[in-house]
Amino acid sequence: MVDSFTSDDELRRLRERLRSTSWRQVVVLTGAGISVASGLPTYRGPGGLWTRPEAAEVPDAAMVAGEPSRVWSLFGPLRGPLRGAAPNAAHLALAEWESRLGPGQSFTLVTQNVDGLHTRAGSRNVVELHGSLLRTRCGNPECGLPPFEDVAERVRAEPCERCGQPLRPDITLFDEPLPVDAEWAAKKALRECDLFLAVGTSGTVAPASNFVRGAKYAGAWTLLVNLTPMQPRHPDFDVEVLGRAEELLPFLLGEGT
């Protein structure tokens, strides 16, 4: 049973519970919706990246293997807006919440986003499930060249200086496995969590869409903060809070009244 919290009185009660309980292990999952207030588009919502004509082909493992320059033509121009974006109040509220946790409390922020805004906001324990668009790596898994910071708005694949194979953005595309270290860190945190908060995510992209189930299995209290209701409703969320993350999170998580 999912309870929807939208009235002021309901939100105050929710805030008190979040503040009054000494959570042992907090896990937060964020999606593209948390970065909308920073001027970045979602993927599937109105005006989202995958709804645009130039993205008629969804970038996947086959595209990066056969047409690496096509991947760059889609993602390279996005680096400019990412460089110009700043963390919004939702990113900052999560970073401040993490900073207030005391001894014996753990906080893991798992993000599906590739914009790097959580780190820039000050969050320390960030797991980037889908990598970062502001990094580049070699497309040859045997090369050994480590991913490197890169903000160049490339529109075609360039050769790796070490092995000559095409470079690629350091992000996870469709039909590609998650980075092993990131997936392990996320699942480890979920096994021990007692509070699971998802923010700005459609809940449709696996495996992140299954994280709430893992948290619920561990006995966690589970909340979703999103602009629109999840369709269909996910039975493993205890609470659904509808509204803008940049307004709700400072109220629910901040120290003010």
Side-chain angles (χ1 to χ4, degrees):
M1 176 76 178
V2 178
D3 294 324
S4 294
F5 282 64
T6 53
S7 74
D8 289 345
D9 286 342
E10 290 170 332
L11 290 175
R12 289 190 188 96
R13 289 196 298 271
L14 183 59
R15 179 180 64 181
E16 290 307 311
R17 181 169 181 182
L18 286 168
R19 292 180 177 185
S20 64
T21 303
S22 297
W23 304 108
R24 176 176 46 80
Q25 166 70 341
V26 177
V27 177
V28 179
L29 171 68
T30 65
I34 199 172
S35 296
V36 170
S38 297
L40 301 179
T42 61
Y43 290 94
R44 293 171 180 78
L49 293 176
W50 305 149
T51 68
R52 297 176 181 178
E54 62 269 26
E57 296 178 85
V58 175
D60 57 12
M63 181 182 289
V64 77
E67 299 180 274
S69 288
R70 174 68 174 145
V71 174
W72 279 110
S73 71
L74 291 171
F75 286 104
L78 299 179
R79 284 178 162 176
L82 258 60
R83 291 200 315 272
N88 63 57
H91 298 103
L92 296 171
L94 289 171
E96 290 166 4
W97 189 29
E98 179 185 8
S99 72
R100 295 197 307 271
L101 295 181
Q105 294 180 288
S106 177
F107 183 98
T108 304
L109 198 161
V110 182
T111 185
Q112 297 170 280
N113 299 339
V114 296
D115 53 36
L117 291 178
H118 284 299
T119 300
R120 289 166 58 188
S123 291
R124 298 187 299 273
N125 191 19
V126 179
V127 177
E128 293 177 322
L129 277 182
H130 295 163
S132 171
L133 187 51
L134 298 179
R135 291 194 302 264
T136 294
R137 62 182 167 92
C138 181
N140 174 13
E142 307 300 325
C143 174
L145 179 74
F148 57 91
E149 300 297 319
D150 184 15
V151 297
E153 297 181 39
R154 308 173 190 270
V155 294
R156 65 177 183 274
E158 298 179 9
C160 170
E161 62 182 19
R162 178 174 295 186
C163 73
Q165 294 298 306
L167 294 173
R168 56 165 293 172
D170 188 26
I171 57 177
T172 303
L173 302 176
F174 289 97
D175 298 327
E176 289 189 317
L178 296 180
V180 173
D181 290 348
E183 186 173 17
W184 180 88
K187 290 183 175 179
K188 180 178 183 296
L190 287 166
R191 286 197 299 269
E192 303 169 355
C193 79
D194 54 357
L195 173 61
F196 178 82
L197 169 63
V199 184
T201 177
S202 66
T204 60
V205 178
S209 57
N210 297 318
F211 284 178
V212 64
R213 183 168 294 127
K216 197 66 183 171
Y217 183 79
W221 188 44
T222 58
L223 300 86
L224 171 67
V225 173
N226 207 29
L227 191 59
T228 57
M230 182 177 286
Q231 297 293 343
R233 296 288 184 91
H234 199 301
D236 289 320
F237 277 111
D238 296 315
V239 175
E240 181 181 75
V241 187
L242 300 180
R244 299 181 183 277
E246 67 273 16
E247 297 172 358
L248 285 170
L249 293 190
F251 175 80
L252 293 172
L253 307 178
E255 291 186 297
T257 58

